[in-house]
Amino acid sequence: AQTVTQSQPEMSVQEAETVTLSCTYDTSESDYYLFWYKQPPSRQMILVIRQEAYKQQNATENRFSVNFQKAAKSFSLKISDSQLGDAAMYFCAYREIYNFNKFYFGSGTKLNVKP
Amino acid sequence: DSGVTQTPKHLITATGQRVTLRCSPRSGDLSVYWYQQSLDQGLQFLIQYYNGEERAKGNILERFSAQQFPDLHSELNLSSLELGDSALYFCASSRGLAARSSYNEQFFGPGTRLTVL
């Protein structure tokens, strides 16, 4: 089975600064999706950004961008100009394409934002 | 608001009991997924239904079962509950099963927090 590893259980960043969250995954597939989800204290799962493995260009959504290194099986999330509202758990997720869209989640990184 | 609804929001019960969690997918979505999130952990995929039929199984215990009804809502049944079943249970829905399409985007409900005492 595919595995997703987030090696940083907790991170802190100063408001307005930049922080990078790490994620690595293991798969033998060449085609798949990768995601970052945000889970605030409300526990709602909120999609932050999505990357399709067959696209070489890194995805960007406003202040959020990814560094997708397919050969290294690495998928990091960069948050620029951090805001207090960014404080949350962040989960990296891998989704199969040809197996009924199964999702595999990492264990999460808790992001603290200091004013 | 994702459009996926889950009831109840909170559930407190005792060991050995049985509970039913309910999920209503977004309008037009045919596929429903169930996930379990134990304390301080990521989500574990349990089971998926598409248009009333079971399509994929993850790490779902034999004490757990699910079904999707003709109106496409889904129920997750948890029986002979143990302390370790205490968790947040998420439902997600997507439009279909298309391999590479925005139709397979999953939208998550707010979750049901189950506490087993």
Side-chain angles (χ1 to χ4, degrees):
Chain A
Q2 282 73 3
T3 57
V4 178
T5 302
Q6 292 179 249
S7 59
Q8 305 153 316
E10 189 166 358
M11 293 190 71
S12 295
V13 63
Q14 207 72 32
E15 197 176 4
E17 294 190 346
T18 295
V19 64
T20 299
L21 309 184
S22 302
C23 172
T24 58
Y25 57 94
D26 184 28
T27 184
S28 58
E29 302 293 331
S30 61
D31 204 2
Y32 46 87
Y33 285 98
L34 294 166
F35 301 81
W36 279 97
Y37 279 89
K38 171 184 177 182
Q39 189 179 45
S42 68
R43 296 294 187 173
Q44 178 75 47
M45 293 292 286
I46 301 167
L47 177 64
V48 175
I49 200 164
R50 173 178 66 175
Q51 175 78 42
E52 296 165 271
Y54 68 91
K55 289 186 177 179
Q56 299 205 350
Q57 187 174 5
N58 289 324
T60 299
E61 288 286 343
N62 301 314
R63 299 183 294 107
F64 299 88
S65 62
V66 299
N67 183 5
F68 173 47
Q69 301 290 327
K70 191 172 184 179
K73 296 179 184 176
S74 169
F75 183 60
S76 61
L77 174 70
K78 186 172 82 171
I79 306 174
S80 304
D81 185 25
S82 296
Q83 300 176 0
L84 295 177
D86 295 334
M89 283 290 288
Y90 285 82
F91 292 97
C92 177
Y94 166 101
R95 192 182 76 201
E96 299 178 341
I97 286 186
Y98 299 110
N99 190 14
F100 306 115
N101 306 314
K102 274 187 175 182
F103 259 99
Y104 299 89
F105 283 84
S107 56
T109 296
K110 182 179 181 182
L111 179 65
N112 303 306
V113 181
K114 300 176 181 178
Chain B
D1 185 357
S2 67
V4 179
T5 61
Q6 290 187 247
T7 56
K9 288 186 72 173
H10 302 278
L11 198 50
I12 301 175
T13 188
T15 55
Q17 295 298 306
R18 171 190 170 95
V19 297
T20 298
L21 312 184
R22 181 188 170 103
C23 168
S24 293
R26 292 187 318 154
S27 177
D29 283 1
L30 300 178
S31 201
V32 170
Y33 310 76
W34 286 97
Y35 296 87
Q36 179 192 55
Q37 184 181 27
S38 300
L39 187 63
D40 295 331
Q41 292 187 20
L43 278 69
Q44 295 289 323
F45 168 71
L46 295 178
I47 198 165
Q48 179 204 3
Y49 278 82
Y50 174 74
N51 204 22
E53 292 187 9
E54 180 185 306
R55 297 306 295 266
K57 257 185 175 178
N59 299 321
I60 188 167
L61 299 172
E62 286 193 12
R63 300 184 286 109
F64 296 1
S65 64
Q67 54 184 329
Q68 186 179 28
F69 294 86
D71 67 352
L72 301 177
H73 90 271
S74 178
E75 293 181 355
L76 178 66
N77 300 296
L78 315 176
S79 61
S80 302
L81 285 168
E82 302 175 358
L83 295 177
D85 298 328
S86 295
L88 194 57
Y89 291 85
F90 283 102
C91 168
S93 73
S94 67
R95 196 59 53 100
L97 294 175
R100 189 175 292 109
S101 165
S102 59
Y103 282 167
N104 59 12
E105 200 66 66
Q106 292 190 23
F107 294 84
F108 284 83
T112 292
R113 178 168 294 284
L114 173 66
T115 302
V116 182
L117 301 176

